[in-house]
Structure formats: structure tokens, C-alpha cells
Amino acid sequence: MTTPDRVAVVGAGVSGISAALALHQAGCAVEIVERDDRIGGRIGVAALGDREVLLGGKNIGRGYTRLRALLERLGGTGYEPFGINTSRIVAGKLVSLDSENRTEAMGAIVRMCDWRDLIKLDGIARKVRTTESARFLGSDLARKLGRHDDRPLSAHFHRNTADHFLRPITVRMNGAEPDEAYFGNFAVNMGMLIDRFDQPTTGLSALLARVESLVEIRYRTAVTGITKADGDVLLDLVDANGRPTRTRYDAVAVCTPAHAAAPMLAPLSEPLAGLLRSVRYFPATVAVVHYVHDVFAADVRAIALDDQPCSNAGSYGRATRNLVRYTFSGRRGRLTDPTDTEVLDLVADTERRLRNHLGIAPQSSTAAAIRHWPQAYCGYLPHYGDFLDALTAATAPHTGIALAGDYLLGTSLEACCRSGEAAAATLLSAPLPQGATR
């Protein structure tokens, strides 16, 4: 077993960071290549007035063991309970689902679902709760459920269940409507639903920025192609000034979403690139708005919305209920290159709806942070186990190259972290870290 001396990690999101730290710990000289000007990827660091907010993923499940270990290596953080707290309008009434209160949550699920679907949902939840691997794509449970992927997820449940229970889950986690999602991938969503979530008391971006002290990072540098020659992996790079270079490495971990990895790997293998291009992604737009007074109450911190562009509006934190995060996703919320003015107009419309649902007075806002991702959510594919097998076969001949990202184990921060560790282990030809999943 030979440890590669010089390794490139393409992408500085959670997958790339976890791969880079594992490779650094193994003694490799690691260089991260990042097209953006900051670390964190789709965590989405942004300024809101004089504070920093995250417009992407920010909450840490209690089952996120590998991500919590990674944050600990970067200096650690305290945690405060956050929980999945969301509400729906069912039969004209506000029904709340709070993962911190399992008894009330079960009552809410019963009200949201058709009773004929409860046994099926409970069976999946029990299997996910008792088998950790079932929380990730490619598991035995996912493959078993995936045998029925000739029909979309919505076809496996009754309409009330699809509309009131499934839609908030699939739209929030994958940007996909229930008729665009598939049964074989639902256990991954269930794993996130039954977890309990905390919010770091130290900003995630502050912790992740400490990676800069451990490995070299090339910011504002795009990878335009990956090839191999004489046993080395060659990266064609273009810097912020448009200057092209070609750099040799012993190995490369490509830690980006599938849609970004495909054009990089096309010069190396068109079949591999074709598989990556087949993975579906959906757009999202997020706005975090600061209000003078609280918008939500302690017991109702978020509300999932239908039949409008805003799919979810919720408090930024458990105690910071005057910061509201608006997510525009799902079929009605797929905006195309929206301007800030257009987004704020949609926010104003959502504010009016919230006042009707929550019975609150109009609130004055003081600042807003907005981010649009043309390809924010990985929507997976039907029969995903077959896709993963084909991807493994297409990658196997290209030693010295490993993949990581939201399309391998799932979209959660934990899944991305584990995929990065698995990519590092592949390059090191070493056993996976304890708890990681290949």
C-alpha cells in the first residue's frame, strides 16, 4: 500500500473538506481546488447586516456522527437543540410536527396521512431506526424498496399522505414533488425525518475556515478537464484571471455534485460523465430576512406551504425567530435567475400568507440575504442501486481518481461527509474510518 504524496481535492464543500482532512491526516500533501471565493460549498455563507448567516445546510442531526467528529477535529462547537419543527394547513387547521416531541409528532403524522398508509410508513421508520446503513443511498433497504421504482413515490401512497406528509419532505430535502421522487430513495428521507437536530453555537463557516490552516486552497479556480498520463492525474485549471494551467497530481478526489463532476471527467471517460449527467438536480432560491420583532412562536417555528413559489418559511434558529428563512423550491418555486427585487416581491407575498395562517401583525424588515442555486437539490433517480453499481464499474478502471458528493450516499451533511471520507479511503487503499459508509 502506497500513500499518494500529492493529492488534489476538487470542491470545498463538506464532501471535499472531509476528504481533504482524511488525506491530510494520512500524510498526503493536499491541495483543494475551489471555483468559489470561500469554503463551505452549498452551506451558503452570506452576510446579513452585521452578522453571518447560512443559506444552505446548517443543522446537525444527532445521528451525524462523522460530521460531528469532523467539526471536533476543527476545534469543536457547542450545540443547542433545534429539531425538525414544521407545520401544515390540514383541513383548514394548523398541524405541527416537532421531532423533539415524539408523542405529539405521531399525532400530527396520523392527522396528515391516510390511515391506510400508516403501517407502511411505520415499517420503513422502524427499519431505518434500527439499521444505520438504511439512512443512506445504496443500502439493502433502499435496493429492496427500489424494486418498485417503476412508479413514482406518490403512486405508493394515498393522496392525503402524498399531499400533506410526503410533499414537505421531498420538496425540502430533494426539491422534488412526490410524483418526481421514488420509493427506493425514501428511506434516506425517513432517516432525516426521525433524527433530532441541533444547531451549532459556533458558526459552521468559522469552523470550516480552519481547514485553510491545514491544507492549501486554490480559490476562484475552475477545473475544465481531468485526464491521466504516465500514472499521474492531470487537472486542466483556469484561474480567476482566465489563465489556463495543467497540474499533475498522484491522485484526485472529485468532491462536487454530479452535474459539476460530469464535464470535468468527460475527457477521461464519456461513459462515466454520461452517468453523472443523468442524475437529476432541482433549483432553489433562499432568502433570510431580519425583522424588528419575532415572526414565529416557540411552538410553531416553520410552516410548509403549497400552491405558491415559497415551499417553506421558518425561523432561522430556535431563539432567533425574528430571522426568517424563505425557501423557494418545488414545482412552483423553480425560479430562473431571479433578481433580488423579484425574490423580495415573493417574500412580501409570503409574508401576507403567514399573517393569515399565524394571526400576526405586519412586521418591518431591516435586511435580507438572498442566494439562488440553479442546481441546488439532488433529486436522485429511480432504481438508484443500479445507478450506483454502474457508477462503481465505470470508475473502477481509473485508479487514482475517487468520487464524493451528494449523489452517492444522500444529500444530508452527514452523507456528504461520509462520501468524502470514503473517497479518501479509496485513494489511500485503506480501510474506511469507523462509521463511514462506502
Side-chain angles (χ1 to χ4, degrees):
M1 180 176 66
T2 302
T3 299
D5 293 326
R6 190 165 183 241
V7 183
V9 173
V10 182
V14 171
S15 298
I17 289 169
S18 64
L21 290 183
L23 291 163
H24 169 76
Q25 191 170 25
C28 303
V30 180
E31 182 175 78
I32 295 178
V33 181
E34 169 58 45
R35 66 180 180 180
D36 205 347
D37 60 359
R38 62 181 64 191
I39 206 166
R42 284 175 296 163
I43 285 177
V45 180
L48 179 64
D50 59 355
R51 68 171 289 165
E52 186 179 88
V53 293
L54 304 178
L55 299 179
K58 67 182 180 67
N59 297 322
I60 312 299
R62 296 182 187 175
Y64 288 16
T65 56
R66 299 310 307 163
L67 180 64
R68 289 182 181 237
L70 181 149
L71 296 178
E72 191 64 30
R73 291 199 300 274
L74 293 173
T77 177
Y79 294 97
E80 57 186 14
F82 185 78
I84 289 180
N85 178 297
T86 191
S87 301
R88 300 278 291 151
I89 303 297
V90 180
K93 295 183 178 180
L94 196 68
V95 178
S96 296
L97 175 63
D98 191 339
S99 64
E100 294 295 312
N101 189 322
R102 294 194 182 277
T103 300
E104 290 187 6
M106 286 303 301
I109 291 172
V110 169
R111 292 178 64 185
M112 291 178 183
C113 296
D114 189 299
W115 65 270
R116 291 168 290 185
D117 295 323
L118 293 176
I119 293 177
K120 184 185 298 185
L121 290 169
D122 183 64
I124 296 172
R126 288 176 182 273
K127 291 173 183 175
V128 170
R129 189 175 286 117
T130 57
T131 307
E132 185 186 50
S133 64
R135 299 184 178 212
F136 303 102
L137 295 171
S139 70
D140 290 343
L141 176 60
R143 291 173 183 272
K144 180 179 179 180
L145 298 178
R147 296 171 190 164
H148 308 286
D149 280 355
D150 53 311
R151 299 182 298 157
L153 179 64
S154 57
H156 294 272
F157 296 90
H158 293 85
R159 183 169 180 177
N160 280 349
T161 305
D163 290 348
H164 299 308
F165 181 70
L166 297 180
R167 184 177 188 271
I169 296 171
T170 59
V171 169
R172 187 167 185 174
M173 298 179 187
N174 300 104
E177 299 289 342
D179 62 3
E180 299 171 315
Y182 290 92
F183 200 36
N185 307 318
F186 183 64
V188 176
N189 295 349
M190 183 65 80
M192 296 177 68
L193 183 67
I194 66 177
D195 204 348
R196 297 187 179 189
F197 286 80
D198 297 318
Q199 192 161 271
T201 54
T202 300
L204 282 183
S205 62
L207 289 179
L208 298 182
R210 295 174 186 169
V211 175
E212 295 176 329
S213 65
L214 300 175
V215 301
E216 183 179 349
I217 304 178
R218 287 195 193 188
Y219 288 112
R220 300 179 65 192
T221 302
V223 178
T224 59
I226 299 174
T227 52
K228 293 188 68 177
D230 302 324
D232 293 335
V233 183
L234 310 180
L235 262 59
D236 289 321
L237 309 173
V238 177
D239 67 17
N241 297 313
R243 293 175 300 207
T245 58
R246 173 170 284 185
T247 307
R248 289 178 176 264
Y249 297 92
D250 295 316
V252 172
V254 182
C255 304
T256 70
H259 66 82
M264 300 180 203
L265 291 163
L268 179 74
S269 170
E270 180 53 39
L272 174 57
L275 284 168
L276 294 169
R277 281 194 292 267
S278 72
V279 181
R280 301 173 311 154
Y281 283 81
F282 296 104
T285 306
V286 176
V288 175
V289 181
H290 181 273
Y291 295 92
V292 175
H293 302 291
D294 286 353
V295 174
F296 287 91
D299 59 336
V300 178
R301 300 200 306 276
I303 183 168
L305 302 164
D306 296 320
D307 301 325
Q308 59 190 296
C310 182
S311 59
N312 189 81
S315 300
Y316 184 79
R318 193 183 188 105
T320 51
R321 298 191 298 275
N322 65 324
L323 292 186
V324 177
R325 177 165 154 157
Y326 299 89
T327 303
F328 300 90
S329 61
R331 189 172 281 122
R332 290 179 178 265
R334 291 169 189 165
L335 310 180
T336 302
D337 297 325
T339 65
D340 286 359
T341 298
E342 290 170 338
V343 175
L344 292 176
D345 285 344
L346 292 172
V347 167
D349 181 64
T350 307
E351 289 172 345
R352 288 189 288 271
R353 294 172 184 265
L354 288 178
R355 291 198 294 271
N356 292 334
H357 293 316
L358 302 176
I360 57 177
Q363 301 284 355
S364 298
S365 60
T366 62
I370 299 169
R371 182 78 177 267
H372 173 70
W373 285 275
Q375 295 169 301
Y377 296 105
C378 185
Y380 313 139
L381 293 168
H383 305 289
Y384 211 75
D386 295 340
F387 163 78
L388 292 174
D389 291 343
L391 191 68
T392 298
T395 308
H398 308 293
T399 57
I401 297 174
L403 306 180
D406 57 4
Y407 59 97
L408 291 172
L409 296 175
T411 62
S412 71
L413 296 177
E414 174 71 3
C416 290
C417 180
R418 291 185 180 217
S419 75
E421 291 182 340
T426 296
L427 295 181
L428 295 168
S429 299
L432 288 169
Q434 183 178 3
T437 307
R438 185 175 277 145

